[in-house]
Each structure stands twice: as C-alpha cells, then as structure tokens.
Amino acid sequence: MRPPRARLPVVLLCLCATATSGFAVDSELIDALFRPFLAEQITLAPDGRHVAYTEHAKKELLVVIMGLEPPYSKVRLAVADDVGVDFSKEKKRATLRFLRWANANRLVFAPTQEVSGKKIYSPILGVDADGKNPKQ
C-alpha cells in the first residue's frame, strides 16, 4: 500500500535519518505520528490544578475536565452530537467555538452548530471544575 502524499515526506525523512544513523525504523513511532488527535482543544486552569480538553467518542463531542493533583478526578460532559452532512451518510465532527477558564474553578465553552451549511451559534455554557453547577 502506497502512503498518501502528506505522509511521504515524513516517511522519507525517517528513512534517511535511520539510514545515516544506523537505527532501524520503529513502526510504532511512524504509527504514532499519524494517529488521529486525541484532543483538539485543550486549556489549563489559571491555578494549574485542572485541564480541560475536547474528545470525540461514539459520534459525539465531549469536554473532559481532569484534575492534575490528587485525587485525580475526571469528568466527561457530552456537549454536542456530530452533524449530518447533506446527501451523505458521513457525519461532520462537532466543534467548539471556544474553550476557556473564566477563573480557577469555572470552565466556559460554546459549541458551534450548523444547519444546511450555515453556522448557528449556540449559547455559552459554563460548568465548575467538578462538572457540577452547569449554567447557560
């Protein structure tokens, strides 16, 4: 199987580097380079105690809030479903307009919605770092 053109320069660079240095090509490293992003947007709380990022699972967009200090809490919030594409069975991935911390304990985000190709901005949502107290 021939790699796509976007991968070809990276593969050639890896092959040249390994040929000159005498190391073997690590297929796991090459696979890791082209693995889909696990998080598309990420933000660190101002106090550095929490991180929030977006994740896609089962055709829906999730916002994950993770504690960086013990106890390492993790909260998953379902934000939006992937959007159907006209005349296709494929779905377009849901996205957020922004993902920011308002303060050390309050996360603010807004999903972007589309109807027939036109963007409709949804309301701004806020939630505490523990996933509680959601407000619009």
Side-chain angles (χ1 to χ4, degrees):
M1 186 170 115
R2 192 174 135 224
R5 289 182 180 229
R7 295 183 183 179
L8 190 58
V10 175
V11 171
L12 289 176
L13 180 64
C14 290
L15 290 175
C16 291
T18 57
T20 58
S21 63
F23 294 116
V25 176
D26 184 10
S27 64
E28 289 180 16
L29 172 65
I30 300 295
D31 289 342
L33 290 173
F34 298 105
R35 190 175 303 136
F37 294 121
L38 297 178
E40 293 175 351
Q41 293 178 326
I42 188 166
T43 182
L44 180 66
D47 63 355
R49 298 177 69 199
H50 294 91
V51 66
Y53 61 92
T54 59
E55 171 181 287
H56 278 275
K58 297 180 183 174
K59 305 211 182 226
E60 68 180 350
L61 176 66
L62 304 173
V63 171
V64 181
I65 304 171
M66 192 167 66
L68 300 177
E69 295 178 349
Y72 301 104
S73 62
K74 192 177 214 181
V75 178
R76 285 188 158 92
L77 307 169
V79 176
D81 292 330
D82 289 349
V83 182
V85 178
D86 293 339
F87 309 109
S88 176
K89 293 180 183 176
E90 297 295 320
K91 295 218 175 217
K92 182 178 177 184
R93 295 177 83 161
T95 59
L96 290 182
R97 271 192 301 164
F98 65 89
L99 176 70
R100 304 278 188 282
W101 289 93
N103 59 38
N105 194 41
R106 190 82 174 152
L107 180 69
V108 180
F109 55 92
T112 301
Q113 296 177 347
E114 291 187 25
V115 175
S116 299
K118 295 181 181 179
K119 290 186 178 180
I120 298 173
Y121 294 109
S122 61
I124 298 171
L125 307 169
V127 66
D128 289 344
D130 60 0
K132 297 178 181 173
N133 197 18
K135 290 191 179 175
Q136 180 174 330

